[in-house]
Amino acid sequence: MDARSAPDEDTALERAALDVLDANWTGTATVPSVGRYPHQWSWDSAFVAIGLSRRRWSRACEELLSLFAGQWSTGMVPHIVFDPAARDSYYPGPSIWRSGECAAAPRGVPTSGLTQPPLHACAVWWIWRYARDRDAALAFVRRTWPCLVAQHRYLASARDLGGEGLAAIVHPWESGLDDSPAWDAPLAALPMVGYACGLEDWRSDSHHDRWVWLALRYRDAGYGPGYLRDEHPFAVEDPMFNGIWLASCLALADLAGVIGADGRPFEEAAERIRGGLLARLWEGAFYARDLRAGSLIPIRTIGGFGPLLDPGMPATVVGPLVELLESCFLGPSGYPVPSCEVRALQFDRERYWRGPSWVNTNWLLRQAAAGHGLGALERLLATATLRLVRQAGFRECFDPFDGMGRGCRDFSWSAALTLDLLAG
Ligand code: 9WN
């Protein structure tokens, strides 16, 4: 079936996607899923803003502004901004994070203490690009500019734990690829912990204990940068997080031109990150680096394709990466792109981020393909992703062999990025 062939089917899909986003809109932000994730998540909101930018422009702006209301004075954009009106069904909720006790957190806006991939400058660029009212767009860029600059400054200072220009994540949740097998070894190196949080679902419970333990340790150290640098037991340089950061640096350089600011510092930042990616994470493929163990983590996951988001990656790297994508990820799966190399021992078609295919990473890879002029790959990713949502709905993720939907239904980024894919 050609997923792009029938215009009235496209209209119905677009309508359905907008209905999901309307249902998940709280009045100030879009929750990823009403039941399972009833608050605002950071990179989810960036994807939602991108998807809405051509269809609900003002709401795309509001989405990012409500996220930035949770930004800390350090510049950190938290991975969750909690909605005090939501049923407190998400664990860990505000009473665990206790952001209100930290001087750097905003007053009256409960948040988590972690961050997530910094896609937001790209989202602002999207909003600028698709605005019809240029004055309103300029005002929006000016308003968000200081937030974006502070976010990037935070990453370059507080998170360069390896000292070589890359940002480190200090918790698997910061990657957005939470249960990726890339985090198995650093998590296994933590002391044994056990919390009864009553989590009985398709995720890994023992990992959940360690996730909570790590978050509590960071919280009890007052979310301090000195503690992160010297003591925190989880510190990893992730190629996806840094690839997204690099793409956002390039977006900031472009946005600087829009408001008459100097774009060079952001171009230089992008070059530094590119240098760091190549020097520290590239060994024939991109791997995450465990800063505490002092070594690369030898598993190939979807995260390893993040650096493709840099249009400046040299051809000597792009060629082998695309070959790897085709031979170990696309080739052996029916529905792209599995979140882990299919023949890896850790591959699991059912467990999230350990095998299933996701709309957001498909969309990111499609952007990356476009940036490298890989037209056939770009079209394949767009067509296959639309086929997944047509067949299974706007699910959280999908079985990479038969395309069956997994996780929650009516998932916001699946709907939002469908809008972008339909727009071409
Ligand atoms: C923890 C909201 C988030 C996404 C992440 C995804 C999942 C949370 C969870 O849901 O993470 O942040 O509870 O598992 O892994 O990418 O942002 O959709």
Side-chain angles (χ1 to χ4, degrees):
M1 180 175 96
D2 177 356
R4 303 298 309 276
S5 61
D8 45 345
E9 271 182 32
D10 283 359
T11 310
L13 190 63
E14 183 182 304
R15 186 64 262 155
L18 284 168
D19 285 348
V20 165
L21 293 169
D22 288 345
N24 293 355
W25 173 248
T26 63
T28 50
T30 310
V31 300
S33 142
V34 172
R36 190 189 284 268
Y37 306 113
H39 305 284
Q40 182 175 26
W41 260 260
S42 172
W43 79 330
D44 299 60
S45 280
F47 290 122
V48 166
I50 286 169
L52 287 177
S53 61
R54 279 187 259 194
R55 303 302 321 228
R56 300 268 192 279
W57 189 83
S58 304
R59 218 165 82 191
C61 298
E62 280 182 73
E63 182 76 37
L64 291 183
L65 291 176
S66 67
L67 180 70
F68 286 133
Q71 187 169 28
W72 290 28
S73 62
T74 54
M76 189 205 64
V77 175
H79 98 293
I80 306 174
V81 175
F82 289 103
D83 175 2
R87 224 166 21 98
D88 193 11
S89 56
Y90 182 78
Y91 186 90
S95 61
I96 299 291
W97 296 101
R98 298 187 202 150
S99 62
E101 293 172 18
C102 184
R107 299 301 95 194
V109 185
T111 76
S112 74
L114 300 171
T115 194
Q116 252 190 343
L119 186 65
H120 311 89
C122 294
V124 171
W125 173 251
W126 226 261
I127 287 175
W128 162 256
R129 180 171 156 196
Y130 290 115
R132 294 208 188 106
D133 179 342
R134 304 313 297 173
D135 290 342
L138 185 59
F140 178 72
V141 174
R142 284 194 197 287
R143 185 156 173 203
T144 49
W145 176 261
C147 307
L148 297 170
V149 171
Q151 176 190 33
H152 283 235
R153 200 173 290 142
Y154 167 78
L155 293 173
S157 52
R159 292 311 187 86
D160 186 1
L161 302 180
E164 300 284 340
L166 295 181
I169 55 167
V170 298
H171 194 292
W173 287 333
E174 294 203 312
S175 69
L177 319 174
D178 304 7
D179 204 11
S180 166
W183 321 136
D184 288 358
L187 284 176
L190 301 179
M192 284 295 289
V193 285
Y195 292 99
C197 22
L199 191 93
E200 282 168 34
D201 63 9
W202 46 293
R203 296 179 284 188
S204 155
D205 294 348
S206 66
H207 279 178
H208 201 271
D209 286 350
R210 287 176 159 77
W211 292 337
V212 174
W213 181 83
L214 262 181
L216 293 180
R217 251 191 93 128
Y218 186 26
R219 178 201 70 188
D220 292 343
Y223 298 116
Y227 160 80
L228 276 191
R229 196 183 50 241
D230 303 329
E231 288 179 62
H232 190 66
F234 187 102
V236 171
E237 290 171 347
D238 169 36
M240 179 61 85
F241 191 101
N242 281 285
I244 289 176
W245 185 28
L246 194 164
S248 270
C249 288
L250 296 176
L252 270 181
D254 289 338
L255 288 168
V258 169
I259 59 166
D262 183 4
R264 268 169 313 178
F266 304 104
E267 280 160 18
E268 284 161 16
E271 273 164 38
R272 246 192 332 274
I273 299 168
R274 182 180 308 132
L277 286 167
L278 291 170
R280 291 172 68 75
L281 308 189
W282 174 252
E283 220 167 69
F286 282 106
Y287 299 94
R289 174 173 290 278
D290 182 343
L291 292 175
R292 297 311 181 216
S295 54
L296 292 179
I297 301 168
I299 169 129
R300 296 184 294 204
T301 70
I302 190 76
F305 298 105
L308 274 179
L309 286 164
D310 173 17
M313 266 295 144
T316 47
V317 163
V318 175
L321 265 188
V322 171
E323 222 174 280
L324 174 70
L325 181 68
E326 283 169 356
S327 60
C328 298
F329 288 77
L330 298 180
S333 71
Y335 291 82
V337 176
S339 36
C340 178
E341 177 181 358
V342 172
R343 293 186 193 92
L345 279 178
Q346 299 91 330
F347 174 85
D348 184 332
R349 67 194 282 188
E350 292 182 15
R351 271 170 61 189
Y352 91 161
W353 298 116
R354 303 179 79 86
S357 301
W358 295 72
V359 169
N360 67 330
T361 45
N362 281 3
W363 183 88
L364 286 169
L365 285 193
R366 171 186 175 255
Q367 287 309 112
H372 290 285
L374 300 165
L377 180 60
E378 183 190 346
R379 282 189 297 280
L380 178 140
L381 289 169
T383 308
T385 308
L386 286 173
R387 184 150 42 91
L388 276 172
V389 296
R390 274 191 213 295
Q391 290 175 353
F394 303 112
R395 297 295 294 264
E396 188 174 5
C397 55
F398 304 85
D399 187 299
F401 296 132
D402 62 19
M404 196 179 98
R406 295 200 184 280
C408 42
R409 294 171 194 279
D410 296 339
F411 193 65
S412 290
W413 79 40
S414 302
L417 296 174
T418 293
L419 291 178
D420 188 69
L421 292 172
L422 284 171

PDB file of all heavy atoms in Angstrom, residues 342-368:
ATOM      1  N   VAL A 342      18.688  -5.386  15.715  1.00  0.00           N
ATOM      2  CA  VAL A 342      17.784  -6.539  15.803  1.00  0.00           C
ATOM      3  C   VAL A 342      18.511  -7.821  16.255  1.00  0.00           C
ATOM      4  O   VAL A 342      17.957  -8.629  16.984  1.00  0.00           O
ATOM      5  CB  VAL A 342      17.076  -6.747  14.450  1.00  0.00           C
ATOM      6  CG1 VAL A 342      16.273  -8.033  14.434  1.00  0.00           C
ATOM      7  CG2 VAL A 342      16.174  -5.555  14.158  1.00  0.00           C
ATOM      8  N   ARG A 343      19.751  -7.995  15.860  1.00  0.00           N
ATOM      9  CA  ARG A 343      20.439  -9.248  16.220  1.00  0.00           C
ATOM     10  C   ARG A 343      21.170  -9.160  17.564  1.00  0.00           C
ATOM     11  O   ARG A 343      21.801 -10.121  17.978  1.00  0.00           O
ATOM     12  CB  ARG A 343      21.415  -9.646  15.111  1.00  0.00           C
ATOM     13  CG  ARG A 343      20.687 -10.018  13.830  1.00  0.00           C
ATOM     14  CD  ARG A 343      21.606 -10.565  12.763  1.00  0.00           C
ATOM     15  NE  ARG A 343      20.891 -10.601  11.484  1.00  0.00           N
ATOM     16  CZ  ARG A 343      20.913  -9.624  10.597  1.00  0.00           C
ATOM     17  NH1 ARG A 343      21.650  -8.536  10.820  1.00  0.00           N
ATOM     18  NH2 ARG A 343      20.228  -9.709   9.472  1.00  0.00           N
ATOM     19  N   ALA A 344      21.052  -8.043  18.256  1.00  0.00           N
ATOM     20  CA  ALA A 344      21.714  -7.937  19.570  1.00  0.00           C
ATOM     21  C   ALA A 344      21.001  -8.833  20.572  1.00  0.00           C
ATOM     22  O   ALA A 344      19.784  -9.033  20.480  1.00  0.00           O
ATOM     23  CB  ALA A 344      21.672  -6.491  20.049  1.00  0.00           C
ATOM     24  N   LEU A 345      21.758  -9.379  21.521  1.00  0.00           N
ATOM     25  CA  LEU A 345      21.164 -10.233  22.552  1.00  0.00           C
ATOM     26  C   LEU A 345      20.094  -9.485  23.340  1.00  0.00           C
ATOM     27  O   LEU A 345      19.108 -10.058  23.775  1.00  0.00           O
ATOM     28  CB  LEU A 345      22.262 -10.661  23.539  1.00  0.00           C
ATOM     29  CG  LEU A 345      23.144 -11.826  23.108  1.00  0.00           C
ATOM     30  CD1 LEU A 345      24.205 -12.084  24.163  1.00  0.00           C
ATOM     31  CD2 LEU A 345      22.271 -13.076  22.878  1.00  0.00           C
ATOM     32  N   GLN A 346      20.300  -8.200  23.513  1.00  0.00           N
ATOM     33  CA  GLN A 346      19.387  -7.398  24.339  1.00  0.00           C
ATOM     34  C   GLN A 346      18.126  -6.989  23.588  1.00  0.00           C
ATOM     35  O   GLN A 346      17.209  -6.421  24.184  1.00  0.00           O
ATOM     36  CB  GLN A 346      20.083  -6.117  24.815  1.00  0.00           C
ATOM     37  CG  GLN A 346      21.310  -6.334  25.677  1.00  0.00           C
ATOM     38  CD  GLN A 346      22.580  -6.408  24.843  1.00  0.00           C
ATOM     39  OE1 GLN A 346      22.576  -6.844  23.689  1.00  0.00           O
ATOM     40  NE2 GLN A 346      23.687  -5.985  25.439  1.00  0.00           N
ATOM     41  N   PHE A 347      18.072  -7.216  22.276  1.00  0.00           N
ATOM     42  CA  PHE A 347      16.897  -6.807  21.497  1.00  0.00           C
ATOM     43  C   PHE A 347      15.647  -7.497  22.051  1.00  0.00           C
ATOM     44  O   PHE A 347      15.653  -8.686  22.338  1.00  0.00           O
ATOM     45  CB  PHE A 347      17.092  -7.186  20.021  1.00  0.00           C
ATOM     46  CG  PHE A 347      15.862  -6.936  19.194  1.00  0.00           C
ATOM     47  CD1 PHE A 347      15.623  -5.685  18.654  1.00  0.00           C
ATOM     48  CD2 PHE A 347      14.933  -7.945  18.971  1.00  0.00           C
ATOM     49  CE1 PHE A 347      14.473  -5.434  17.913  1.00  0.00           C
ATOM     50  CE2 PHE A 347      13.780  -7.708  18.229  1.00  0.00           C
ATOM     51  CZ  PHE A 347      13.556  -6.450  17.694  1.00  0.00           C
ATOM     52  N   ASP A 348      14.580  -6.722  22.199  1.00  0.00           N
ATOM     53  CA  ASP A 348      13.317  -7.283  22.682  1.00  0.00           C
ATOM     54  C   ASP A 348      12.204  -6.518  21.985  1.00  0.00           C
ATOM     55  O   ASP A 348      12.025  -5.324  22.222  1.00  0.00           O
ATOM     56  CB  ASP A 348      13.244  -7.104  24.214  1.00  0.00           C
ATOM     57  CG  ASP A 348      12.009  -7.742  24.821  1.00  0.00           C
ATOM     58  OD1 ASP A 348      10.982  -7.852  24.125  1.00  0.00           O
ATOM     59  OD2 ASP A 348      12.070  -8.106  26.009  1.00  0.00           O
ATOM     60  N   ARG A 349      11.455  -7.210  21.134  1.00  0.00           N
ATOM     61  CA  ARG A 349      10.474  -6.496  20.301  1.00  0.00           C
ATOM     62  C   ARG A 349       9.351  -5.864  21.101  1.00  0.00           C
ATOM     63  O   ARG A 349       8.612  -5.027  20.599  1.00  0.00           O
ATOM     64  CB  ARG A 349       9.888  -7.448  19.242  1.00  0.00           C
ATOM     65  CG  ARG A 349       9.038  -8.549  19.838  1.00  0.00           C
ATOM     66  CD  ARG A 349       8.749  -9.636  18.849  1.00  0.00           C
ATOM     67  NE  ARG A 349       7.711  -9.292  17.894  1.00  0.00           N
ATOM     68  CZ  ARG A 349       7.195 -10.152  17.023  1.00  0.00           C
ATOM     69  NH1 ARG A 349       7.660 -11.404  16.977  1.00  0.00           N
ATOM     70  NH2 ARG A 349       6.263  -9.789  16.190  1.00  0.00           N
ATOM     71  N   GLU A 350       9.201  -6.284  22.400  1.00  0.00           N
ATOM     72  CA  GLU A 350       8.069  -5.806  23.187  1.00  0.00           C
ATOM     73  C   GLU A 350       8.411  -4.719  24.194  1.00  0.00           C
ATOM     74  O   GLU A 350       7.547  -3.952  24.594  1.00  0.00           O
ATOM     75  CB  GLU A 350       7.457  -6.968  23.968  1.00  0.00           C
ATOM     76  CG  GLU A 350       6.801  -7.973  23.074  1.00  0.00           C
ATOM     77  CD  GLU A 350       6.153  -9.085  23.856  1.00  0.00           C
ATOM     78  OE1 GLU A 350       5.958  -8.942  25.076  1.00  0.00           O
ATOM     79  OE2 GLU A 350       5.847 -10.113  23.233  1.00  0.00           O
ATOM     80  N   ARG A 351       9.658  -4.693  24.646  1.00  0.00           N
ATOM     81  CA  ARG A 351       9.961  -3.785  25.772  1.00  0.00           C
ATOM     82  C   ARG A 351      10.431  -2.436  25.281  1.00  0.00           C
ATOM     83  O   ARG A 351      11.326  -2.353  24.418  1.00  0.00           O
ATOM     84  CB  ARG A 351      10.981  -4.423  26.700  1.00  0.00           C
ATOM     85  CG  ARG A 351      10.258  -5.232  27.759  1.00  0.00           C
ATOM     86  CD  ARG A 351      11.174  -6.072  28.556  1.00  0.00           C
ATOM     87  NE  ARG A 351      12.166  -5.271  29.274  1.00  0.00           N
ATOM     88  CZ  ARG A 351      13.185  -5.827  29.906  1.00  0.00           C
ATOM     89  NH1 ARG A 351      13.348  -7.129  29.906  1.00  0.00           N
ATOM     90  NH2 ARG A 351      14.059  -5.086  30.533  1.00  0.00           N
ATOM     91  N   TYR A 352       9.897  -1.391  25.886  1.00  0.00           N
ATOM     92  CA  TYR A 352      10.071  -0.080  25.274  1.00  0.00           C
ATOM     93  C   TYR A 352      11.523   0.381  25.263  1.00  0.00           C
ATOM     94  O   TYR A 352      12.244   0.169  26.202  1.00  0.00           O
ATOM     95  CB  TYR A 352       9.073   0.907  25.818  1.00  0.00           C
ATOM     96  CG  TYR A 352       9.340   1.780  27.003  1.00  0.00           C
ATOM     97  CD1 TYR A 352       8.548   2.913  27.194  1.00  0.00           C
ATOM     98  CD2 TYR A 352      10.329   1.524  27.922  1.00  0.00           C
ATOM     99  CE1 TYR A 352       8.762   3.760  28.261  1.00  0.00           C
ATOM    100  CE2 TYR A 352      10.534   2.367  28.989  1.00  0.00           C
ATOM    101  CZ  TYR A 352       9.754   3.480  29.156  1.00  0.00           C
ATOM    102  OH  TYR A 352       9.955   4.336  30.198  1.00  0.00           O
ATOM    103  N   TRP A 353      11.922   0.916  24.161  1.00  0.00           N
ATOM    104  CA  TRP A 353      13.283   1.365  23.823  1.00  0.00           C
ATOM    105  C   TRP A 353      14.283   0.221  23.708  1.00  0.00           C
ATOM    106  O   TRP A 353      15.471   0.446  23.573  1.00  0.00           O
ATOM    107  CB  TRP A 353      13.782   2.428  24.823  1.00  0.00           C
ATOM    108  CG  TRP A 353      12.951   3.669  24.826  1.00  0.00           C
ATOM    109  CD1 TRP A 353      12.201   4.166  25.851  1.00  0.00           C
ATOM    110  CD2 TRP A 353      12.754   4.596  23.730  1.00  0.00           C
ATOM    111  NE1 TRP A 353      11.550   5.321  25.476  1.00  0.00           N
ATOM    112  CE2 TRP A 353      11.878   5.603  24.183  1.00  0.00           C
ATOM    113  CE3 TRP A 353      13.238   4.649  22.409  1.00  0.00           C
ATOM    114  CZ2 TRP A 353      11.461   6.664  23.378  1.00  0.00           C
ATOM    115  CZ3 TRP A 353      12.820   5.702  21.609  1.00  0.00           C
ATOM    116  CH2 TRP A 353      11.949   6.691  22.102  1.00  0.00           C
ATOM    117  N   ARG A 354      13.820  -1.029  23.772  1.00  0.00           N
ATOM    118  CA  ARG A 354      14.746  -2.152  23.599  1.00  0.00           C
ATOM    119  C   ARG A 354      14.485  -2.891  22.289  1.00  0.00           C
ATOM    120  O   ARG A 354      15.033  -3.960  22.047  1.00  0.00           O
ATOM    121  CB  ARG A 354      14.646  -3.133  24.782  1.00  0.00           C
ATOM    122  CG  ARG A 354      14.911  -2.477  26.118  1.00  0.00           C
ATOM    123  CD  ARG A 354      14.793  -3.428  27.283  1.00  0.00           C
ATOM    124  NE  ARG A 354      15.970  -4.240  27.425  1.00  0.00           N
ATOM    125  CZ  ARG A 354      17.066  -3.880  28.095  1.00  0.00           C
ATOM    126  NH1 ARG A 354      17.102  -2.714  28.716  1.00  0.00           N
ATOM    127  NH2 ARG A 354      18.095  -4.673  28.166  1.00  0.00           N
ATOM    128  N   GLY A 355      13.604  -2.361  21.452  1.00  0.00           N
ATOM    129  CA  GLY A 355      13.280  -3.013  20.191  1.00  0.00           C
ATOM    130  C   GLY A 355      12.219  -2.281  19.385  1.00  0.00           C
ATOM    131  O   GLY A 355      12.394  -2.051  18.189  1.00  0.00           O
ATOM    132  N   PRO A 356      11.084  -1.914  20.032  1.00  0.00           N
ATOM    133  CA  PRO A 356      10.003  -1.282  19.267  1.00  0.00           C
ATOM    134  C   PRO A 356      10.449  -0.062  18.457  1.00  0.00           C
ATOM    135  O   PRO A 356      11.462   0.571  18.777  1.00  0.00           O
ATOM    136  CB  PRO A 356       9.009  -0.869  20.362  1.00  0.00           C
ATOM    137  CG  PRO A 356       9.222  -1.851  21.452  1.00  0.00           C
ATOM    138  CD  PRO A 356      10.697  -2.152  21.437  1.00  0.00           C
ATOM    139  N   SER A 357       9.673   0.238  17.416  1.00  0.00           N
ATOM    140  CA  SER A 357       9.911   1.420  16.583  1.00  0.00           C
ATOM    141  C   SER A 357       9.061   2.571  17.117  1.00  0.00           C
ATOM    142  O   SER A 357       7.952   2.351  17.598  1.00  0.00           O
ATOM    143  CB  SER A 357       9.510   1.122  15.136  1.00  0.00           C
ATOM    144  OG  SER A 357      10.269   0.034  14.649  1.00  0.00           O
ATOM    145  N   TRP A 358       9.594   3.776  17.004  1.00  0.00           N
ATOM    146  CA  TRP A 358       8.930   4.966  17.557  1.00  0.00           C
ATOM    147  C   TRP A 358       8.794   6.026  16.471  1.00  0.00           C
ATOM    148  O   TRP A 358       9.713   6.223  15.660  1.00  0.00           O
ATOM    149  CB  TRP A 358       9.760   5.547  18.707  1.00  0.00           C
ATOM    150  CG  TRP A 358       9.882   4.659  19.895  1.00  0.00           C
ATOM    151  CD1 TRP A 358      10.618   3.508  19.993  1.00  0.00           C
ATOM    152  CD2 TRP A 358       9.259   4.835  21.177  1.00  0.00           C
ATOM    153  NE1 TRP A 358      10.483   2.963  21.256  1.00  0.00           N
ATOM    154  CE2 TRP A 358       9.663   3.762  22.005  1.00  0.00           C
ATOM    155  CE3 TRP A 358       8.403   5.800  21.715  1.00  0.00           C
ATOM    156  CZ2 TRP A 358       9.229   3.633  23.329  1.00  0.00           C
ATOM    157  CZ3 TRP A 358       7.982   5.676  23.037  1.00  0.00           C
ATOM    158  CH2 TRP A 358       8.394   4.594  23.828  1.00  0.00           C
ATOM    159  N   VAL A 359       7.679   6.763  16.525  1.00  0.00           N
ATOM    160  CA  VAL A 359       7.464   7.820  15.533  1.00  0.00           C
ATOM    161  C   VAL A 359       8.500   8.935  15.682  1.00  0.00           C
ATOM    162  O   VAL A 359       9.012   9.468  14.688  1.00  0.00           O
ATOM    163  CB  VAL A 359       6.029   8.398  15.654  1.00  0.00           C
ATOM    164  CG1 VAL A 359       5.874   9.651  14.822  1.00  0.00           C
ATOM    165  CG2 VAL A 359       5.007   7.354  15.213  1.00  0.00           C
ATOM    166  N   ASN A 360       8.875   9.286  16.931  1.00  0.00           N
ATOM    167  CA  ASN A 360       9.766  10.450  17.074  1.00  0.00           C
ATOM    168  C   ASN A 360      11.170  10.151  16.540  1.00  0.00           C
ATOM    169  O   ASN A 360      11.779  11.000  15.880  1.00  0.00           O
ATOM    170  CB  ASN A 360       9.810  10.941  18.530  1.00  0.00           C
ATOM    171  CG  ASN A 360      10.472   9.967  19.481  1.00  0.00           C
ATOM    172  OD1 ASN A 360      10.424   8.754  19.270  1.00  0.00           O
ATOM    173  ND2 ASN A 360      11.085  10.479  20.533  1.00  0.00           N
ATOM    174  N   THR A 361      11.674   8.946  16.801  1.00  0.00           N
ATOM    175  CA  THR A 361      13.027   8.674  16.300  1.00  0.00           C
ATOM    176  C   THR A 361      12.990   8.467  14.778  1.00  0.00           C
ATOM    177  O   THR A 361      13.940   8.838  14.081  1.00  0.00           O
ATOM    178  CB  THR A 361      13.682   7.487  17.040  1.00  0.00           C
ATOM    179  OG1 THR A 361      12.741   6.420  17.153  1.00  0.00           O
ATOM    180  CG2 THR A 361      14.131   7.903  18.432  1.00  0.00           C
ATOM    181  N   ASN A 362      11.888   7.915  14.258  1.00  0.00           N
ATOM    182  CA  ASN A 362      11.758   7.830  12.795  1.00  0.00           C
ATOM    183  C   ASN A 362      11.790   9.232  12.190  1.00  0.00           C
ATOM    184  O   ASN A 362      12.448   9.484  11.175  1.00  0.00           O
ATOM    185  CB  ASN A 362      10.431   7.161  12.407  1.00  0.00           C
ATOM    186  CG  ASN A 362      10.487   5.651  12.538  1.00  0.00           C
ATOM    187  OD1 ASN A 362      11.482   5.092  12.967  1.00  0.00           O
ATOM    188  ND2 ASN A 362       9.414   4.983  12.168  1.00  0.00           N
ATOM    189  N   TRP A 363      11.076  10.134  12.837  1.00  0.00           N
ATOM    190  CA  TRP A 363      10.999  11.513  12.315  1.00  0.00           C
ATOM    191  C   TRP A 363      12.381  12.185  12.378  1.00  0.00           C
ATOM    192  O   TRP A 363      12.788  12.863  11.436  1.00  0.00           O
ATOM    193  CB  TRP A 363       9.952  12.298  13.117  1.00  0.00           C
ATOM    194  CG  TRP A 363       9.760  13.694  12.604  1.00  0.00           C
ATOM    195  CD1 TRP A 363       8.907  14.094  11.620  1.00  0.00           C
ATOM    196  CD2 TRP A 363      10.465  14.867  13.025  1.00  0.00           C
ATOM    197  NE1 TRP A 363       9.033  15.452  11.418  1.00  0.00           N
ATOM    198  CE2 TRP A 363       9.977  15.945  12.258  1.00  0.00           C
ATOM    199  CE3 TRP A 363      11.460  15.108  13.977  1.00  0.00           C
ATOM    200  CZ2 TRP A 363      10.451  17.255  12.414  1.00  0.00           C
ATOM    201  CZ3 TRP A 363      11.933  16.409  14.134  1.00  0.00           C
ATOM    202  CH2 TRP A 363      11.433  17.464  13.357  1.00  0.00           C
ATOM    203  N   LEU A 364      13.081  11.968  13.493  1.00  0.00           N
ATOM    204  CA  LEU A 364      14.426  12.570  13.609  1.00  0.00           C
ATOM    205  C   LEU A 364      15.341  12.037  12.510  1.00  0.00           C
ATOM    206  O   LEU A 364      16.090  12.793  11.872  1.00  0.00           O
ATOM    207  CB  LEU A 364      15.030  12.285  14.989  1.00  0.00           C
ATOM    208  CG  LEU A 364      14.443  13.081  16.165  1.00  0.00           C
ATOM    209  CD1 LEU A 364      14.935  12.517  17.494  1.00  0.00           C
ATOM    210  CD2 LEU A 364      14.802  14.575  16.068  1.00  0.00           C
ATOM    211  N   LEU A 365      15.271  10.724  12.273  1.00  0.00           N
ATOM    212  CA  LEU A 365      16.134  10.141  11.228  1.00  0.00           C
ATOM    213  C   LEU A 365      15.722  10.634   9.850  1.00  0.00           C
ATOM    214  O   LEU A 365      16.567  10.807   8.963  1.00  0.00           O
ATOM    215  CB  LEU A 365      16.096   8.617  11.275  1.00  0.00           C
ATOM    216  CG  LEU A 365      16.879   7.971  12.415  1.00  0.00           C
ATOM    217  CD1 LEU A 365      17.047   6.486  12.182  1.00  0.00           C
ATOM    218  CD2 LEU A 365      18.257   8.602  12.558  1.00  0.00           C
ATOM    219  N   ARG A 366      14.454  10.882   9.665  1.00  0.00           N
ATOM    220  CA  ARG A 366      14.012  11.431   8.379  1.00  0.00           C
ATOM    221  C   ARG A 366      14.590  12.840   8.183  1.00  0.00           C
ATOM    222  O   ARG A 366      15.061  13.186   7.091  1.00  0.00           O
ATOM    223  CB  ARG A 366      12.487  11.476   8.334  1.00  0.00           C
ATOM    224  CG  ARG A 366      11.956  12.224   7.133  1.00  0.00           C
ATOM    225  CD  ARG A 366      10.469  12.346   7.247  1.00  0.00           C
ATOM    226  NE  ARG A 366       9.913  13.150   6.173  1.00  0.00           N
ATOM    227  CZ  ARG A 366       9.483  14.393   6.344  1.00  0.00           C
ATOM    228  NH1 ARG A 366       9.578  14.985   7.515  1.00  0.00           N
ATOM    229  NH2 ARG A 366       8.959  15.052   5.334  1.00  0.00           N
ATOM    230  N   GLN A 367      14.591  13.631   9.255  1.00  0.00           N
ATOM    231  CA  GLN A 367      15.216  14.963   9.170  1.00  0.00           C
ATOM    232  C   GLN A 367      16.692  14.836   8.827  1.00  0.00           C
ATOM    233  O   GLN A 367      17.236  15.577   8.014  1.00  0.00           O
ATOM    234  CB  GLN A 367      15.115  15.683  10.520  1.00  0.00           C
ATOM    235  CG  GLN A 367      13.759  16.173  10.878  1.00  0.00           C
ATOM    236  CD  GLN A 367      13.167  16.979   9.746  1.00  0.00           C
ATOM    237  OE1 GLN A 367      12.201  16.534   9.120  1.00  0.00           O
ATOM    238  NE2 GLN A 367      13.748  18.121   9.436  1.00  0.00           N
ATOM    239  N   ALA A 368      17.336  13.881   9.503  1.00  0.00           N
ATOM    240  CA  ALA A 368      18.768  13.667   9.283  1.00  0.00           C
ATOM    241  C   ALA A 368      19.020  13.274   7.827  1.00  0.00           C
ATOM    242  O   ALA A 368      19.928  13.803   7.171  1.00  0.00           O
ATOM    243  CB  ALA A 368      19.281  12.581  10.220  1.00  0.00           C
TER     244      ALA A 368
END
